Amino acid sequence: MRIGVFICHCGSNIEGTVDTATVAKTSLDFPEVVYATDTMYACSEPGQDGIIQAIKDKNLTGVVVASCTPRMHEPTFRRAVERAGLNRYLFEMANIREHVSWIGKDREANTNKAVDLVRIAVEKLRRDAPLAPSKFAINKRVMIIGGGVAGIQAALDCADGGLQVVLVERESTIGGKMAKLDKTFPTVDCSSCILGPKMVDVAQHDNITLHAYSEVDSISGYVGNFQVQVKKKATYVDWELCTGCGACTEKCPSKKNPDKFNEKIGPTTSINIPFPQAIPKKAVIDPTTCRQFVKGKCGVCAKVCPTGAIKYDMTDAIVTEDVGAIVAATGYDLFDISKVTEYGGGRYPDVITGLQYERLLSASGPTGGHIKRPSDGKEPKNIVFIQCVGSRDKSLDRPYCSGFCCMYTAKQAILTKDHIPDSQSYVFYMDIRSPGKMYDEFTRRAMEEYGARYIRGRVAMVYPKDGKMIVRGADTLAGTQMEVEADLVVLAAGAEAAKGAPQLAEKLRISYDKYGFFMESHPKLKPVETNTAGVYLAGSCQGPKDIPQSVGQGSAAAAKVLALFSKDMLESDPQISRVDIKRCVGCGKCILTCPFKAIKEVDFRGQKKAEVIETVCQGCGLCTSTCPQGAIQLSHFTDNQILAEVNALCQS
Amino acid sequence: MPVLTGKELRIVGFLCNWCSYGGADTAGVGRFNQPTDLRIIRVPCSGRIDPLFIAKTLINGADGVLVSGCHPRDCHYAEGNFYARRRLEVLKRFLPILGIDPGRFDYTWVSASEGQRWQKVVTVFTEQIHALGPAPRYDAVSADMLAKVAGALGQGGNRVAA
């Protein structure tokens, strides 16, 4: 092999703490290295052209680039060597930026380490074989998990692009958190007026299949060919027959159950439709409160239903959907305010979350849009908003900013004044974070036009006294302590990952961060992709987002799916396992080990042998380290290659 | 060029591509200072790591070996790190039989988001290896050590026979 080595300066990123010229010079001593140089930006156009030119001029048959992490630019350089006529797998990278120059300032030690990393890359490359991808067909259907505004947008964009879409929603209606909002910032337009038509579009779109009240049970397969088992939870109502007339909910005698849609500040019936604009507008029985289930007798809904849709003996059903791509859009949950015990959330009825307040403001809410405090139904005059409850608080393990709470508090302060003109709002804040278009202007309006009193400081405690809530806090700008007698306290609860998010991530084989939010492939350049091919992210499941960002990401995920499906065949990564049929003894251990069922037993001249199904193999190499005979080897990561790297490190 | 005499020891890290290699990248992007001793070999999955690699690395003259993969239940390949965990646990118990101080080997779980955790893992492990000092060369192995190894081998052999 004739190997060329290129050491990248990455501007001063690498050159600043690594002597790249020395690394290049030393590389010339390595076996089969015939050319070595340092270059300013290897990934730039002149940098890539330099590599291509050198391959031609020096007749190179293998290339090592020492620069950033292969997770960043391995595909870039592979394409470059391919343009020069080499096989793209006759290329290796040494990571001398993230793993060397950026983690220490000792130039001598860094240079030395960089040389070592180039050395192991050369040793690995010497044992690389040219690989060729094989092709497989794609199933051009897409599943979107989560029917909030991000999922709805992704579903509509994919469906408009001509794809068959399966939308899975765990509640009985789509709409997500946005459907619960009264108005949206900074335009103060009505949430259901802008979301409602989109929800109807989902229901009426020929290309969208909606599984409401359903959850993803298990996922198998790989990009282009996923099999997803969806559990349709028992609704005890035959949705084929239910017309959403609402006769059952009117007559249901069990009326005092906390209403989940109204954030538990209003009562609801055991059989109900969450809200008038629900899509699908179908009834669901809650068996934990329904008298027919709890006491064994009632049956009122079955008697009054004009279509005979009530089915008390219904059970969960599993449906299997075959799709080629999956978009996770599972959203977020609100921080549990009862964890901040000093504010009394969950203990005092007049301390509520922002989303509960939103339901009080909403005309479709439990009070018909009249602000009545939960304890006695009186109209509050003094309302205190406390920001950053479960955001930017290390002691609660929520150090991140939830992003939208500053804005929704300003909106609620404005709406409060609209609803009760003689009211006074107080907002305790840490900082105002309003970086969006028209956002800062909006918070200023809340202060200047609507007279909300913004107090910079933390609230120490909230306690009841004579029918009022006393809010005691600091005004850090005035340098004083202050106390407000409030009729109602609204906590701007931050966002946290949805319950069950880590479990879903495990099913999807994607990563999640320590807070449970799904991880994107690259925080800047691949914001909606994951590290698992064919799985994309939209909305707050990836981190707290407001509506415009969620919608933008929904569309972005749809664009990624459409781009993926623009091809009829996908190329599979050829870095897969291969069986040496002469060494294979047919023990079948690899078949048992493979998590993807990518190895099958075949009959080879009367003997049992293992065979890898090329398009299914994901290249993990579990089989390789399991095989007692060393008969199955993961291409590009063979035992010999890894041991050669070890030897290069140990015996130099 | 060997490791810097007097400054560094030979420490080899086997890291899975998806979590820990990403975590090491995150640590780099965050400019989290780390000792320079460790050299990373990238593998697709911690389940790809044959315990033999580690034994051979240590026999070949490495002073320490660190393996790191995705947290259990968070594997890109669904269950690769479970296989890794079983094999590495067994290896840990087997190293003394080979005459290798088990303190020279460790395995951890670091996710791609945990740059700071990776910094800590590297620092602590490097300190641990420096505390143990360079691995004894075979030509320098004392009779005492050999006797210990022979004893351990005998024990192991008996167990296998029984």
Side-chain angles (χ1 to χ4, degrees):
Chain A
M1 200 177 244
R2 293 174 59 81
I3 295 172
V5 178
F6 300 83
I7 317 291
C8 180
H9 292 198
C10 198
S12 62
N13 279 304
I14 293 170
E15 178 55 31
T17 61
V18 176
D19 183 353
T20 49
T22 302
V23 178
K25 200 164 143 270
T26 318
S27 306
L28 281 171
D29 298 340
F30 300 154
E32 302 184 59
V33 174
V34 295
Y35 179 72
T37 184
D38 53 312
T39 165
M40 190 54 147
Y41 287 106
C43 59
S44 68
E45 200 183 348
Q48 293 187 44
D49 286 347
I51 294 171
I52 292 169
Q53 201 55 48
I55 292 172
K56 290 178 178 157
D57 291 350
K58 314 282 174 191
N59 206 10
L60 303 178
T61 56
V63 169
V64 169
V65 172
S67 57
C68 52
T69 169
R71 285 161 55 100
M72 178 104 98
H73 275 317
E74 197 171 53
T76 314
F77 292 122
R78 279 190 172 159
R79 278 195 299 272
V81 299
E82 199 167 47
R83 280 206 298 280
L86 282 187
N87 182 279
R88 59 165 62 194
Y89 292 93
L90 298 174
F91 167 78
E92 289 295 335
M93 258 180 116
N95 183 350
I96 61 167
R97 194 179 74 176
E98 280 83 349
H99 293 182
V100 180
S101 73
W102 274 350
I103 58 168
K105 295 216 161 31
D106 184 334
R107 197 170 169 89
E108 189 197 3
N110 280 356
T111 306
N112 189 52
K113 183 173 175 183
V115 167
D116 258 2
L117 295 186
V118 173
R119 185 200 311 271
I120 63 175
V122 168
E123 288 300 329
K124 181 159 184 261
L125 174 63
R126 291 175 65 203
R127 291 155 182 87
D128 274 338
L131 300 174
S134 54
K135 293 195 165 189
F136 62 92
I138 328 176
N139 180 348
K140 294 188 182 179
R141 297 176 84 222
V142 54
M143 172 169 289
I144 289 158
I145 307 172
V149 67
I152 288 173
Q153 186 66 40
L156 288 174
D157 286 347
C158 287
D160 287 342
L163 303 180
Q164 290 295 321
V165 177
V166 185
L167 181 58
V168 180
E169 167 58 49
R170 78 172 135 191
E171 301 298 334
S172 68
T173 171
I174 58 171
K177 292 278 190 301
M178 186 177 168
K180 298 185 180 190
L181 305 182
D182 175 39
K183 303 279 193 323
T184 58
F185 61 76
T187 46
V188 204
D189 47 3
C190 146
S191 181
S192 56
C193 313
I194 52 176
L195 183 65
K198 277 188 182 291
M199 290 166 63
V200 175
D201 287 349
V202 168
Q204 294 181 344
H205 210 297
D206 287 339
N207 287 352
I208 300 179
T209 310
L210 174 60
H211 293 305
Y213 213 57
S214 300
E215 278 177 28
V216 168
D217 202 47
S218 67
I219 300 167
S220 59
Y222 52 93
V223 58
N225 298 280
F226 291 105
Q227 290 84 43
V228 188
Q229 307 259 326
V230 178
K231 183 168 82 181
K232 300 196 80 150
K233 295 180 281 186
T235 56
Y236 307 105
V237 178
D238 185 341
W239 281 10
E240 298 280 318
L241 298 175
C242 176
T243 59
C245 70
C248 52
T249 58
E250 267 170 44
K251 294 285 190 284
C252 177
S254 168
K255 290 187 194 302
K256 299 222 168 125
N257 315 302
D259 187 350
K260 248 174 91 184
F261 184 77
N262 279 329
E263 291 289 308
K264 299 183 181 167
I265 50 165
T268 189
T269 45
S270 284
I271 183 165
N272 77 339
I273 299 169
F275 61 109
Q277 298 84 22
I279 299 284
K281 196 178 177 184
K282 308 283 180 190
V284 174
I285 294 177
D286 175 5
T288 61
T289 60
C290 169
R291 292 183 189 185
Q292 182 69 32
F293 284 91
V294 176
K295 293 185 179 154
K297 58 175 187 183
C298 177
V300 171
C301 48
K303 275 177 217 138
V304 298
C305 179
T307 60
I310 310 296
K311 300 273 185 284
Y312 295 121
D313 56 353
M314 193 184 254
T315 51
D316 294 353
I318 300 274
V319 290
T320 304
E321 294 284 1
D322 293 321
V323 294
I326 299 173
V327 177
T330 46
Y332 68 98
D333 276 345
L334 274 194
F335 176 77
D336 175 9
I337 56 167
S338 67
K339 285 184 186 161
V340 194
T341 47
E342 59 268 33
Y343 293 169
R347 244 184 316 147
Y348 308 127
D350 291 337
V351 179
I352 60 175
T353 68
L355 198 53
Q356 286 176 323
Y357 192 61
E358 203 72 42
R359 294 313 300 152
L360 288 181
L361 290 169
S362 172
S364 66
T367 56
H370 300 291
I371 306 176
K372 293 177 181 169
R373 61 181 200 166
S375 63
D376 52 12
K378 280 191 192 150
E379 191 176 76
K381 295 289 180 226
N382 277 356
I383 300 179
V384 171
F385 296 90
I386 303 176
Q387 299 213 291
C388 296
V389 180
S391 304
R392 304 180 64 200
D393 195 337
K394 255 190 165 171
S395 63
L396 296 168
D397 197 28
R398 294 286 175 271
Y400 54 85
C401 174
S402 294
F404 47 62
C405 331
C406 283
M407 292 303 295
Y408 79 63
T409 301
K411 173 192 71 183
Q412 290 173 347
I414 286 175
L415 293 177
T416 304
K417 198 76 175 172
D418 280 343
H419 281 249
I420 314 169
D422 61 339
S423 66
Q424 176 63 50
S425 295
Y426 298 85
V427 180
F428 283 89
Y429 70 100
M430 287 166 70
D431 294 299
I432 298 296
R433 302 200 161 176
S434 51
K437 198 173 177 179
M438 297 297 287
Y439 282 19
D440 206 55
E441 295 91 321
F442 183 74
T443 50
R444 285 190 178 281
R445 268 177 64 204
M447 298 175 214
E448 291 159 12
E449 224 174 286
Y450 289 84
R453 245 192 94 187
Y454 270 66
I455 304 145
R456 185 175 187 272
R458 290 297 266 175
V459 168
M461 68 185 300
V462 177
Y463 60 95
K465 192 181 168 191
D466 305 331
K468 303 251 183 198
M469 300 304 296
I470 309 296
V471 180
R472 185 183 287 170
D475 182 341
T476 54
L477 293 181
T480 57
Q481 295 293 313
M482 67 176 292
E483 239 175 45
V484 183
E485 278 191 6
D487 301 306
L488 184 66
V489 178
V490 182
L491 305 183
E496 57 185 29
K499 270 170 210 73
Q503 287 75 11
L504 180 65
E506 284 153 19
K507 287 173 192 167
L508 287 165
R509 297 195 297 272
I510 59 175
S511 304
Y512 52 94
D513 66 19
K514 61 189 282 203
Y515 307 109
F517 290 113
F518 299 158
M519 273 185 62
E520 64 283 354
S521 199
H522 188 281
K524 296 182 196 77
L525 299 179
K526 289 185 172 179
V528 298
E529 288 109 315
T530 67
N531 276 333
T532 297
V535 179
Y536 304 94
L537 305 175
S540 291
C541 61
Q542 184 250 351
K545 281 186 187 59
D546 61 12
I547 295 166
Q549 287 177 326
S550 300
V551 171
Q553 242 196 349
S555 288
K560 289 287 167 190
V561 174
L562 283 160
L564 176 74
F565 288 176
S566 66
K567 306 179 194 84
D568 292 321
M569 302 290 274
L570 279 185
E571 282 192 350
S572 64
D573 189 341
Q575 299 179 83
I576 55 165
S577 287
R578 280 161 226 276
V579 182
D580 178 351
I581 209 109
K582 290 196 288 296
R583 293 184 93 169
C584 176
V585 294
C587 68
K589 285 196 171 70
C590 50
I591 299 172
L592 289 174
T593 311
C594 179
F596 302 98
K597 300 189 177 67
I599 309 177
K600 64 181 179 196
E601 192 181 286
V602 290
D603 184 89
F604 182 77
R605 296 181 189 160
Q607 284 182 312
K608 276 189 205 167
K609 298 282 176 184
E611 188 179 285
V612 177
I613 309 164
E614 276 186 41
T615 50
V616 183
C617 176
Q618 299 292 297
C620 63
L622 284 185
C623 52
T624 309
S625 38
T626 300
C627 178
Q629 304 295 320
I632 190 162
Q633 286 289 330
L634 177 62
S635 308
H636 222 67
F637 287 97
T638 62
D639 288 350
N640 284 344
Q641 286 185 300
I642 294 171
L643 289 172
E645 290 180 80
V646 167
N647 284 344
L649 285 181
C650 292
Q651 297 181 341
S652 55
Chain B
M1 203 184 294
V3 289
L4 291 175
T5 326
K7 251 190 195 173
E8 286 180 353
L9 291 175
R10 283 175 211 272
I11 305 178
V12 177
F14 293 97
L15 267 64
C16 90
N17 178 48
W18 302 101
C19 292
S20 292
Y21 197 92
D25 284 349
T26 308
V29 173
R31 311 296 202 274
F32 299 144
N33 261 325
Q34 293 156 44
T36 49
D37 311 40
L38 178 89
R39 274 88 166 116
I40 293 169
I41 294 178
R42 183 167 73 127
V43 290
C45 178
S46 53
R48 167 69 188 93
I49 299 163
D50 191 326
L52 221 60
F53 295 162
I54 296 152
K56 282 195 175 170
T57 311
L58 288 164
I59 290 169
N60 264 354
D63 302 310
V65 173
L66 179 67
V67 168
S68 193
C70 308
H71 287 279
R73 300 188 60 85
D74 188 18
C75 178
H76 182 75
Y77 301 108
E79 51 199 29
N81 50 8
F82 288 135
Y83 284 98
R85 187 168 63 182
R86 278 195 208 177
R87 291 169 184 158
L88 299 176
E89 268 307 317
V90 172
L91 175 75
K92 242 189 171 171
R93 287 160 175 71
F94 186 67
L95 284 177
I97 297 167
L98 292 175
I100 294 167
D101 188 332
R104 296 193 181 277
F105 162 67
D106 205 357
Y107 67 91
T108 58
W109 315 120
V110 175
S111 85
S113 63
E114 294 174 326
Q116 229 150 3
R117 184 180 156 90
W118 175 250
Q119 177 194 31
K120 207 176 150 204
V121 162
V122 174
T123 311
V124 168
F125 187 72
T126 308
E127 277 168 10
Q128 181 182 324
I129 299 303
H130 275 270
L132 289 170
R137 315 299 307 181
Y138 281 95
D139 49 349
V141 171
S142 65
D144 185 39
M145 182 72 183
L146 277 176
K148 248 205 247 172
V149 173
L153 274 175
Q155 227 181 9
N158 285 343
R159 236 179 257 157
V160 172

